[in-house]
Amino acid sequence: MKDKILPLDYDQYSVEELTEKANNIIESLEKENDLNNSVDSYQELLKLNNIIEKKFHKNFKSIGEETNKKIKEITKKNEKTA
């Protein structure tokens, strides 16, 4: 396999932007007739998928933590008024 220039740092992109990049790769793979030419694209797609998954889990965790914080604040307010 030939050496490939590493893609830009995907950490700076949003989940939506990464998803768009993945969709573009999928479209190009669907049009490709020679599978030997698509190995690099497929590997980049796998990397993008892992990055999207990690970002999604990170966002999910952040939302959960923020929700718990707000619930605790509401509970404290309710205890003070009771």
Side-chain angles (χ1 to χ4, degrees):
M1 189 172 358
K2 50 186 166 176
D3 289 288
K4 184 177 180 186
I5 298 173
L6 293 175
L8 297 173
D9 187 13
Y10 286 128
D11 289 335
Q12 64 187 355
Y13 294 104
S14 69
V15 172
E16 291 81 12
E17 291 170 320
L18 293 171
T19 302
E20 181 66 29
K21 289 182 182 293
N23 287 336
N24 290 338
I25 292 172
I26 291 169
E27 287 177 19
S28 70
L29 286 171
E30 288 174 343
K31 294 176 185 175
E32 183 64 52
N33 291 328
D34 185 7
L35 292 177
N36 291 326
N37 293 336
S38 60
V39 173
D40 290 339
S41 295
Y42 184 72
Q43 288 178 343
E44 185 175 357
L45 181 62
L46 290 175
K47 288 178 188 177
L48 274 172
N49 184 54
N50 288 334
I51 293 167
I52 291 169
E53 186 176 351
K54 288 177 185 178
K55 282 185 171 277
F56 179 78
H57 286 294
K58 184 179 178 182
N59 290 347
F60 182 76
K61 183 179 177 181
S62 175
I63 291 169
E65 289 171 353
E66 191 168 322
T67 302
N68 286 337
K69 183 180 176 182
K70 288 181 180 181
I71 290 171
K72 287 179 183 179
E73 289 174 5
I74 292 171
T75 304
K76 285 181 183 179
K77 287 180 183 178
N78 288 340
E79 287 175 357
K80 289 180 181 178
T81 59

